[in-house]
Amino acid sequence: MGVRRKRKSVPRARGSLTREARQAINQHVREHAAWYAPAVSAVAFFLFAHLLTLLAFFLMKSGGMHQEQDVHKIIVTWAVYGFLPLLLCSYLCFFAVARPVTGLLARKCSFWTTTTMHLVTGAVYGAAIGLALLLLLVPDTWFNVLLVFCIGVAAGEGNWFFYRKLAVPDPVIEEHRLEEQPE
């Protein structure tokens, strides 16, 4: 004779743990968009550079590219050493340049459309990232200067686009537009 034990029934969760975790992460990112926006383009460039590095190594092993060519050296350098300076410059320029420029443009150029204002803000933010990278990395040729500056501008536009999508509507722009409306 066996002893039967009564098992307590454990209530099961109704939702999926992964779905709830995803929802919590999405809500946190939306609430704190300013924390994550400066990193988006830097992380995207980091991943893109690593994919290109894998492609370059594959081409070198298959004989499609010679090791003496400088293309793979530039890609590997950006994949390994370019990520941290880009991330640092992106964060510094986001809080030191992009947010104040948004308020300034909202006050001075209130007749601009919101799209134009965001494009100009992203360009100024990107130019600041590009200049900070130029000061930090000190490239030696004009091609490298242009490449570093274009990467900075692309990172600024990408980050500002991401921030704009998460923080809708932009409180700085809306605050200045509400101040200027007649009562």
Side-chain angles (χ1 to χ4, degrees):
M1 280 204 254
V3 176
R4 291 189 174 209
R5 295 183 186 171
K6 290 188 176 182
R7 294 186 184 190
K8 293 182 181 179
S9 63
V10 178
R12 296 198 178 247
R14 292 187 173 213
S16 168
L17 183 61
T18 55
R19 187 181 74 216
E20 291 174 4
R22 190 175 346 125
Q23 288 173 347
I25 290 170
N26 285 340
Q27 181 181 0
H28 179 75
V29 169
R30 286 187 190 279
E31 289 175 359
H32 303 289
W35 294 357
Y36 298 104
V40 172
S41 291
V43 171
F45 278 124
F46 176 71
L47 294 174
F48 183 66
H50 273 78
L51 288 174
L52 288 178
T53 301
L54 291 174
L55 179 66
F57 285 138
F58 175 74
L59 288 174
M60 284 189 310
K61 291 293 181 183
S62 67
M65 185 185 332
H66 300 291
Q67 288 186 354
E68 295 81 29
Q69 292 176 333
D70 287 335
V71 175
H72 77 280
K73 293 176 186 175
I74 293 170
I75 293 170
V76 171
T77 301
W78 268 102
V80 177
Y81 299 110
F83 174 67
L84 290 177
L86 182 61
L87 190 62
L88 173 71
C89 293
S90 181
Y91 267 101
L92 290 176
C93 292
F94 183 81
F95 293 106
V97 175
R99 298 294 294 167
V101 164
T102 303
L104 179 70
L105 288 176
R107 281 191 308 275
K108 301 288 183 183
C109 304
S110 61
F111 54 90
W112 283 359
T113 64
T114 306
T115 304
T116 305
M117 196 171 302
H118 284 305
L119 285 174
V120 170
T121 302
V124 170
Y125 172 39
I129 292 173
L131 290 175
L133 285 172
L134 288 175
L135 291 173
L136 190 63
L137 300 176
V138 191
D140 53 350
T141 65
W142 283 103
F143 176 73
N144 290 345
V145 168
L146 183 64
L147 179 68
V148 168
F149 188 75
C150 288
I151 287 173
V153 170
E157 286 288 347
N159 286 343
W160 195 253
F161 174 78
F162 177 72
Y163 176 75
R164 183 176 55 128
K165 290 299 179 187
L166 285 180
V168 176
D170 192 354
V172 176
I173 293 174
E174 293 302 318
E175 175 185 322
H176 292 291
R177 292 214 174 152
L178 289 175
E179 288 175 1
E180 295 179 3
Q181 290 180 354
E183 293 182 27

